[in-house]
Amino acid sequence: MQSSARVVIIGGGIMGASLLYHLALEGWTDCLLIEKDELTSGSTWHAAGQCPSITGSFNLAKIHAYSNDLYPRLEGLTGQYVSWHKSGGIRLATNERELAWFKYINGFSKIIGFDMAIIPPEEIRRINPFVTTDGVIAGAYTTGDGHADPSGICNAMAIGAKNLGAKIVRHNRVTGLTQLPTGEWDVLTEQGTVRAEIVVNAAGCYARQVAQMAGIDIPVTNMEHHYIVTDPIPAFMERDDEIPVMRCPHVSGYFRQEQKSGLIGIYEDIGLAEAWAPKGQPEWESTSELFIDDLDRISKWLERAIERMPVFGEVGIRRIVNGAIPHTPDGAPLLGPAAGLRNFWHCCGTSFGIAQGGGSGKYLAQWIVHGDADINMAEFDPRRYGPFADEDYSRAKVFLDYRMTFTTRPPGEEEPDGRPQKTSPLYERLAAAGAVYGETYGWERPKWFSLDGRAEEAGYHRTNVFEVVAAEVKAVAERVGVLDLSGFAKYEVTGPDAEAFLNRICANRMPKKQGGIGLVHPLSRLGRIYGEMTVTRMADDHFYCLSAAAAEQRDEDHLRQSLLPHEQVTIRNVTMDRGVLVLSGPRARDVLAKLTDADLSNEGFRWLSGQDITIAGLPVRALRVSYVGEGGWELHPAMSDLAALYDTVWAAGQDFGIANYGLYAVNTMRMEKGYKAWGSELTNELTMIEAGMDRFIQFKKDHFVGKQATLDAPDRFRIVYGEVDATDVDVRGAEPCMVYGKSIGLTTSGGYGHRVGKSLFFACVPLDHAAPGSRFAIQLQGELREAKVLEHPAYDSDNTRMKA
């Protein structure tokens, strides 16, 4: 076995083989895959092998789409038989909520390019004459779906990688990992030690063991999953055509043709079983494991499958497979750098490994080789989880995700499983005041306030909390509102080289004046947008940096790993040290004036500046910024003082009609102001110029990471801002922008602007549709609605209200 490699991949299942193949396609052939047994011997070998196009995530659907394009071509590319069956797929809808989900996905199918149609029950029965459609109102028919032999696909990509020069060593167990001061890794194995520049954990069901060898852990829980194969079915013997892969919420599973037999897979919602419980992990020595079947556990759903496909009930069961499938808490794979480590990546955690294997390998290989992928990878980044995602949390969320595999969750619907994990000191009192919480990076954050006990009837249309949010916006616009945003990620960057360091890694220049606040963006070496931070200069050698709650771990990694050896800079994560109370509205100054002797005038406390002041006897870092388009301050006290500060602010605000508000109101107000958001408009897919963020680039600086790449990058798209002639459905993101029946772009986010009475959106479109006044249509729940690009924000375009 070789003694060194540029990349060592641990695990020879579908994910590891795909990554090896796609790294080789990118020109990185000095790569070694190490498998402790045979290829596919984890969970790949026993997978059912379905490859659907439909998934609720736009970027995950791109991953699926690439897999479905690649797999039919693999045999020609590698000579390995993969047994690809282009059967198509039909998912059934049994209520209007599921149909609304179909309409949303049908929209982004036009962007991605997979063929999808919503068809009536009679058409479903024409395509599959064996299915019953009692209770079915529609089907989502995707003609490019298929299924294949998982081992064939995995081996084909392994062969393809070896043909390009990559190496594979089987029957070689990794026994340890050691990182060297150089950042390289020694990978200890039964056959010797390999020194690697980069290590990738692609160990599937064994991924936690590999992560633990590197001194970390990951939130992966392995679940038992059954599917059965029937005896040959006479009706299938008489046909040449194969029925589509069927998916049904009533069955809570999938069923299809397997040669001339039937195959039924069940995701039960009661009696779920964790694989290898109670330990929750397999032995590192185990391989090709299956578990004792438990048909009683899934009998209810098997009966429903036979109701849907009566021909299944005419024959017996030939084979039962009960194998382990790894799951993450949100059901998405772990694709990206490991938190807190250099040169260690994850390519694991996928519960639909065959469907996602091809695309996961492609886009992760791009990220490793080039520093960016062609799709937005934020939702797959392993650093979306932090220490809050412990075993209990992971288990609770994974059980939820498993049992809801065939349950459609509309926007706004969140379950309590595994919560709360991270709360501010205001959690209980705001809950008592009606706060309805959402979860971000483990934090509980108020979405809206139910003052009359109502619950949101979540969906794609405007919901029953529309007028509640309107009232919160009205309170902020006319009086004063208060919001707990303590989940902000917060860092103190200090030292003699702090300013030069931040200037080097960000496109904008750091604020020059003490107390000055700037909006800055770290870039990748390709000039793509890595993140976004608000930076306040507290002193010559002291900067206070804020970023999104969901970006806490990735931004900390970026700061620390961007430091050069000679730079004298100290970075402290103070997220848990300081709370954040946002006070917004025309009476915000009046409220604070009752509590502080600080000069709050425009002369004494200018817009876009920060000061350490005292409020009601409490030391508070106050920042005069606003994300909602009204005057106000962010108040950053010690976390231990947050409750006392809130109480005094609330009491002082009674004379001015103070109200609590939540993130739903924040979104509507930031849309009115035309403020782009990290993760939706600002992503690794775009340069700052393409995102329309030119004013935040300081090209006069001698150097910053990504400067030349930004100048050299092709100018392909623009993020545009506009209004749409919506009815009762507003833009959410990933809806197609249409011209003459063809998709020319996609929305990135949107919402209704209550202060201006308009439905607003951001979209990514080609340059010839980006000028102010440009018109196109946006498909919202199956309807084409006219949209127009605006030149200025819909609300207070000259920032008069914030500067008052």
Side-chain angles (χ1 to χ4, degrees), residues 88-411:
I90 300 177
R91 179 157 175 158
L92 306 180
T94 58
N95 56 51
E96 291 296 328
R97 186 163 88 163
E98 291 163 356
L99 180 57
W101 188 68
F102 284 0
K103 290 178 180 178
Y104 178 66
I105 293 170
N106 187 48
F108 67 62
S109 74
K110 300 180 184 305
I111 306 166
I112 298 172
F114 63 86
D115 182 52
M116 176 180 172
I118 299 175
I119 60 177
E122 56 269 24
E123 181 67 4
I124 297 170
R125 293 192 300 271
R126 185 193 68 79
I127 297 168
N128 180 359
F130 306 105
V131 71
T132 63
T133 54
D134 297 343
V136 173
I137 62 173
Y141 182 34
T142 43
T143 59
D145 290 12
H147 59 92
D149 169 33
S151 294
I153 293 173
C154 184
N155 279 287
M157 288 192 286
I159 290 169
K162 289 193 291 185
N163 289 344
L164 291 166
K167 301 292 190 299
I168 296 174
V169 175
R170 299 173 299 152
H171 301 285
N172 185 26
R173 198 177 312 276
V174 172
T175 58
L177 295 167
T178 302
Q179 189 161 36
L180 307 175
T182 61
E184 297 172 303
W185 289 86
D186 275 350
V187 182
L188 286 64
T189 80
E190 293 173 330
Q191 297 180 20
T193 297
V194 183
R195 182 153 297 175
E197 293 180 23
I198 294 171
V199 172
V200 183
N201 175 10
C205 291
Y206 307 88
R208 283 191 66 198
Q209 284 100 315
V210 172
Q212 289 162 359
M213 289 180 190
I216 59 173
D217 203 353
I218 50 175
V220 171
T221 300
N222 294 302
M223 298 297 292
E224 289 187 14
H225 171 64
H226 284 86
Y227 68 84
I228 70 164
V229 179
T230 73
D231 290 327
I233 296 172
F236 291 171
M237 302 287 287
E238 299 167 1
R239 285 167 51 91
D240 293 327
D241 295 336
E242 183 177 333
I243 66 168
V245 179
M246 309 294 296
R247 296 172 177 86
C248 176
H250 180 65
V251 174
S252 192
Y254 53 85
F255 45 96
R256 65 167 172 86
Q257 193 169 329
E258 172 69 6
Q259 301 301 327
K260 297 301 181 180
S261 300
L263 184 149
I264 306 169
I266 299 298
Y267 286 87
E268 64 274 20
D269 61 16
I270 56 174
L272 283 65
E274 181 181 359
W276 298 289
K279 181 181 178 182
Q281 296 187 59
E283 297 297 330
W284 186 228
E285 293 74 24
S286 72
T287 183
S288 301
E289 272 196 83
L290 291 177
F291 304 98
I292 298 172
D293 59 80
D294 185 358
L295 290 184
D296 288 342
R297 192 166 87 221
I298 63 171
S299 60
K300 169 184 171 181
W301 292 276
L302 286 177
E303 290 171 3
R304 291 182 178 184
I306 292 171
E307 290 171 10
R308 278 279 179 250
M309 286 281 289
V311 292
F312 287 166
E314 298 173 2
V315 295
I317 295 174
R318 186 178 69 189
R319 182 162 58 102
I320 303 171
V321 176
N322 182 21
I325 302 178
H327 286 250
T328 61
D330 61 7
L334 302 177
L335 303 174
L341 294 178
R342 291 179 184 268
N343 303 325
F344 191 93
W345 296 65
H346 293 300
C347 182
C348 55
T350 173
S351 52
F352 298 94
I354 308 307
Q356 296 167 7
S360 294
K362 173 186 174 70
Y363 296 114
L364 184 59
Q366 289 180 345
W367 192 356
I368 291 172
V369 172
H370 303 293
D372 282 306
D374 287 339
I375 68 171
N376 185 350
M377 296 292 282
E379 69 185 273
F380 313 123
D381 192 324
R383 296 167 297 183
R384 68 188 186 270
Y385 297 111
F388 70 90
D390 56 21
E391 279 199 35
D392 290 341
Y393 175 89
S394 178
R395 186 172 290 109
K397 289 293 191 184
V398 164
F399 271 57
L400 169 70
D401 181 68
Y402 183 94
R403 70 175 181 263
M404 297 192 74
T405 298
F406 284 91
T407 301
T408 300
R409 283 179 275 186

Side-chain angles (χ1 to χ4, degrees), residues 420-433 435 437 442-446 483-488 490 574-581 618 635-647 660:
Q421 285 294 96
K422 296 167 71 175
T423 60
S424 89
L426 297 179
Y427 177 73
E428 295 292 349
R429 71 186 68 195
L430 293 183
Y437 283 100
W443 283 102
E444 297 292 332
R445 306 195 301 174
L483 168 66
D484 177 13
L485 272 186
S486 297
F488 267 143
K490 316 169 194 81
V574 295
T575 300
M576 300 304 294
D577 296 345
R578 288 187 181 270
V580 179
L581 204 62
L618 302 171
L635 307 177
H636 296 237
M639 190 72 81
S640 57
D641 290 337
L642 183 68
L645 179 65
Y646 175 84
D647 288 345
N660 291 304

Side-chain angles (χ1 to χ4, degrees), residues 12 53 61 211 218 269 414 437-438 484 554 564 777 782 801:
S53 299
I218 50 175
D269 61 16
E414 297 190 48
Y437 283 100
D484 177 13
R554 57 174 282 141
L564 299 177
R801 295 181 67 87

Side-chain angles (χ1 to χ4, degrees), residues 536-614:
T536 304
R537 185 181 199 123
M538 305 307 301
D540 287 347
D541 60 353
H542 180 187
F543 295 85
Y544 183 51
C545 304
L546 306 172
S547 65
E552 179 184 338
Q553 183 64 66
R554 57 174 282 141
D555 284 353
E556 181 175 357
D557 279 355
H558 189 68
L559 287 169
R560 295 189 186 282
Q561 295 178 15
S562 296
L563 274 174
L564 299 177
H566 69 272
E567 289 178 312
Q568 299 180 61
V569 178
T570 300
I571 297 164
R572 286 198 309 125
N573 185 333
V574 295
T575 300
M576 300 304 294
D577 296 345
R578 288 187 181 270
V580 179
L581 204 62
V582 181
L583 192 67
S584 309
R587 307 309 298 270
R589 181 182 278 115
D590 297 326
V591 174
L592 284 184
K594 296 173 66 173
L595 302 172
T596 183
D597 294 331
D599 183 355
L600 302 177
S601 68
N602 283 337
E603 295 75 23
F605 205 136
R606 68 185 186 277
W607 182 52
L608 294 182
S609 72
Q611 299 179 27
D612 287 327
I613 64 175
T614 299

